[in-house]
Amino acid sequence: METITWQDVSFEKTPELVEVAELVEAFHKWLSEHDHLERGQLITEANAALSETEKRDDVVDVEAILTVEFEEFLPLDRRYLATLANGLELVCVAEENASVRRTWIEPGPITDYVSFSRTESTARTAPPSRPDATGAYLANETVHEDPEAGEVNVIPTETPDEQIKKVADEIERLRDRENWEYEDFAVVLKQSGSAVIETLRAFQQTGVPTESSTVTGFGDDPAIRELLQVVRYLAADDDDIRIELLEASVLDESILASIEQMEGLSSPLRRWATESNMKVRIAEETSPLNVRAQFGNVRRAFAMAEFVEDTSFIETTWKSFASMLERAHEYAPQQNQTSSTELDGGVRVDHLQAIKNGTFRAVFLLDIVDEEYPGSPSLTRLFSQERLSEMPDYPGVTQVEAEDVTNTFPTSSTASSRSFRRYHAEHARRRLAIGATAAGDRLYFCLYNHKDTALEERAQPSRFLTDAYRQLPWVKEATEPEIRSERRAEEYLLSRIDNALADVRRSHSQDVTVSLDEVETELSEIQHLLSESGTRGEQLRDALQARIEFAAGGIRRD
């Protein structure tokens, strides 16, 4: 439904899509009756308003329009641009063999859909670095001379978890040796959504700060949970329910009593945030990289309260607002995809399309296995691939002919005979090229040998990586990095304790000799290191003590 709205497409051939479109039309009609508009309708409405206005010169007060990244303009974007640029000089800049967003919707180069009075092509130059040359090979199958600048490394690991740990170690090694900042690094995945969320969490556990266009959302925000408790309390009619809410939370009853006497919804909610010292608590209890996101979520809750106050078809009561906030909290993903532009200095963790035309000193491309690159086409979960490939009007590339593949991609790296699978395999290769060209000095292909499944299924390296490894002599396996990240250091520290205790126990049962002097020396060095490490050292000291007591039988697991 969202795709239909954003692309402003109509359906007449596929019965399932016609039914979905009818639902969208009914929804938009209902919104219009209540003076509202879905965000996806904005370009369509702007195009209509611009076409119908008699005062165009007052609206479009420019003499020329410069459009960049034109290779990604969808049909609706192009219609709006044509209306906007009517009678003006228009210059569009597009990159060849680089479209990933538009080619997901329509095949072929964009020049097949538009015409200009004059076209120019810039002269091709040799790639300045090995990452650029690797990206060019993935995009065009062009093998260039070795630029000798930069590095392209492969990081193989046994499991996806170990992949994250090795990347974190390499980031810390480069920061230590090259004096780079965290914002110089990008960790990139093929898909957005849960894959990015899980990777963000994994890096947070290693102690590496992160940033992303994927930011903390309603589903996992303690500030929103607190506001939800306040709203539930004010909406409750039963005193017993209120008592239960107070007992299950840290709400201040005196503040609740004072704001309950106020009129409206947004003002009492803001009063709670002020008098309960919420802003200070968020700043003190949350890492700097997440504070801005939480403040943004609180502002969104205030805006929702104002919406209920100002909208005539929703009753302005705490009960109706509680219903809205609960639904937003329940159905929101733990992380929301946004177009964040103000980032705060951590390692960038995102999907490939989000870093297009960005540049980082080092880029780590994760999960370079055949199951991901090329993987299987994943246009929608609503319909099977067989049904999808038969839908001529689906808003995506489904009915594909052989010439569509050759017109869209200069590469031919899949053995599949089906044009549908070939098209989307080449699309995956192009996305990999986009990630490679974002690397300035260093590019890393990261992969694992076994999946995180009960059967430990074996994962095959991506066919694209295998091909590049054969054709490009500068693609090499990375050397084993030293332990640099906090998480790996903790694991190593705990493992040394375990190994020392195991050696001592083994000396009794296996008649082997263990030097207690060496064990004592090693433990003394660890003790000294922890003493110099402040609060974090104290926490590790407690963990080590618990480890020793557990091994000695002094404590047990519940």
Side-chain angles (χ1 to χ4, degrees), residues 418-519:
R418 292 188 58 195
S419 297
F420 178 72
R421 292 191 65 86
R422 285 176 54 209
Y423 185 94
H424 288 283
E426 300 307 324
H427 193 274
R429 174 171 177 147
R430 177 172 290 181
R431 290 164 78 177
L432 202 56
I434 294 296
T437 53
D441 296 330
R442 293 174 182 267
L443 172 65
Y444 295 87
F445 293 102
C446 310
L447 64 154
Y448 48 84
N449 292 328
H450 296 93
K451 307 174 191 175
D452 279 336
T453 61
L455 298 177
E456 293 188 350
E457 300 170 83
R458 192 164 185 84
Q460 297 296 327
S462 167
R463 66 191 71 177
F464 306 141
L465 176 59
T466 303
D467 181 49
Y469 200 83
R470 292 196 206 99
Q471 300 294 333
L472 308 178
W474 58 81
V475 179
K476 300 177 181 178
E477 185 171 329
T479 57
E480 181 70 24
E482 303 170 18
I483 293 176
R484 298 283 179 174
S485 72
E486 183 178 302
R487 174 68 176 270
R488 285 291 301 276
E490 290 179 14
E491 290 176 348
Y492 178 76
L493 193 59
L494 295 172
S495 70
R496 295 306 301 151
I497 296 295
D498 290 342
N499 292 341
L501 294 172
D503 288 343
V504 173
R505 285 197 301 270
R506 195 163 58 248
S507 67
H508 293 289
S509 59
Q510 299 181 5
D511 194 26
V512 295
T513 302
V514 175
S515 172
L516 292 180
D517 289 340
E518 291 181 5
V519 173

Side-chain angles (χ1 to χ4, degrees), residues 397-408:
V397 177
T398 53
Q399 286 197 326
V400 186
E401 303 296 335
E403 54 266 28
D404 292 325
V405 183
T406 55
N407 288 343
T408 310

Side-chain angles (χ1 to χ4, degrees), residues 190-191 367 369-378 385 414 416 420-422 424-426 428-429 462-464:
K190 181 182 180 183
Q191 304 290 353
D367 304 335
V369 294
D370 223 49
E371 188 175 324
E372 285 287 313
Y373 300 95
S376 300
S378 179
Q385 268 193 28
T414 176
S416 174
F420 178 72
R421 292 191 65 86
R422 285 176 54 209
H424 288 283
E426 300 307 324
R429 174 171 177 147
S462 167
R463 66 191 71 177
F464 306 141

Side-chain angles (χ1 to χ4, degrees), residues 53-101:
T53 182
E54 297 178 356
K55 299 181 179 180
R56 175 188 166 83
D57 292 341
D58 295 337
V59 179
V60 186
D61 187 19
V62 296
E63 296 180 4
I65 296 175
L66 173 63
T67 302
V68 297
E69 205 173 324
F70 186 62
E71 75 276 4
E72 298 290 24
F73 272 48
L74 302 179
L76 177 60
D77 303 328
R78 299 195 296 266
R79 290 202 299 270
Y80 174 68
L81 182 62
T83 305
L84 185 69
N86 186 26
L88 302 174
E89 183 176 356
L90 172 65
V91 178
C92 297
V93 182
E95 183 180 1
E96 290 182 340
N97 301 321
S99 171
V100 287
R101 176 173 175 259

Side-chain angles (χ1 to χ4, degrees), residues 50 160 184 204 265 270-271 292 362 473 482 492 540:
L50 196 59
D184 293 328
Q204 288 168 1
L265 303 173
R270 291 177 184 275
R271 175 71 64 85
R292 178 178 294 166
E482 303 170 18
Y492 178 76
L540 279 174

Side-chain angles (χ1 to χ4, degrees), residues 101-365:
R101 176 173 175 259
R102 185 189 58 79
T103 49
W104 192 252
I105 304 300
E106 61 183 18
I110 198 164
T111 50
D112 286 354
Y113 301 91
V114 295
S115 60
F116 292 91
S117 57
R118 183 168 58 91
T119 59
E120 293 181 9
S121 296
T122 58
R124 289 183 172 86
T125 57
S129 68
R130 288 169 173 170
D132 275 318
T134 305
Y137 178 72
L138 289 170
N140 308 314
E141 284 186 344
T142 303
V143 179
H144 290 273
E145 292 285 335
D146 187 350
E148 299 185 356
E151 292 184 18
V152 180
N153 295 310
V154 178
I155 300 181
T157 58
E158 283 300 311
T159 65
D161 285 345
E162 187 181 342
Q163 177 184 226
I164 298 293
K165 295 173 184 177
K166 283 204 172 186
V167 170
D169 276 345
E170 182 67 6
I171 289 172
E172 296 294 357
R173 184 182 74 85
L174 290 172
R175 288 187 70 247
D176 184 47
R177 193 181 72 181
E178 307 289 344
N179 200 30
W180 290 2
E181 301 295 332
Y182 282 122
E183 60 261 34
D184 293 328
F185 300 91
V187 177
V188 190
L189 297 99
K190 181 182 180 183
Q191 304 290 353
S192 59
S194 60
V196 175
I197 295 167
E198 292 168 4
T199 305
L200 282 167
R201 288 176 178 164
F203 272 102
Q204 288 168 1
Q205 291 176 357
T206 68
V208 173
T210 58
E211 66 183 18
S212 180
S213 59
T214 304
V215 295
T216 303
F218 261 49
D220 192 33
D221 191 333
I224 294 300
R225 289 198 293 269
E226 179 180 321
L227 290 179
L228 188 55
Q229 291 296 319
V230 172
V231 174
R232 282 171 176 162
Y233 177 90
L234 296 172
D237 296 328
D238 193 325
D239 289 340
D240 291 338
I241 296 177
R242 289 192 166 195
I243 292 172
E244 289 178 10
L245 288 169
L246 288 173
E247 290 176 348
S249 64
V250 293
L251 301 182
D252 189 315
E253 192 172 2
S254 62
I255 301 176
L256 290 172
S258 67
I259 66 174
E260 193 172 10
Q261 306 304 317
M262 299 176 62
E263 295 183 356
L265 303 173
S266 59
S267 295
L269 208 60
R270 291 177 184 275
R271 175 71 64 85
W272 166 267
T274 301
E275 295 193 5
S276 67
N277 219 21
M278 174 182 276
K279 184 175 182 180
V280 174
R281 285 186 285 115
I282 290 175
E284 290 178 346
E285 298 170 7
T286 310
S287 68
L289 292 176
N290 291 328
V291 165
R292 178 178 294 166
Q294 281 196 244
F295 284 160
N297 289 330
V298 171
R299 284 195 296 271
R300 183 179 167 195
F302 294 161
M304 290 170 66
E306 292 170 356
F307 173 80
V308 175
E309 289 175 336
D310 298 338
T311 305
S312 59
F313 62 93
I314 298 179
E315 190 178 5
T316 306
T317 63
W318 286 112
K319 186 170 291 187
S320 61
F321 178 54
S323 176
M324 175 182 285
L325 192 61
E326 283 175 348
R327 181 166 295 192
H329 179 265
E330 180 181 356
Y331 291 104
Q334 291 186 336
Q335 310 271 347
N336 291 328
Q337 299 300 315
T338 71
S339 56
S340 174
T341 55
E342 296 184 13
L343 301 172
D344 298 310
V347 172
R348 177 76 176 270
V349 180
D350 247 314
H351 56 100
L352 284 165
Q353 192 168 314
I355 69 162
K356 185 182 179 185
N357 294 328
T359 303
F360 303 85
R361 299 187 76 172
V363 171
F364 297 85
L365 300 176

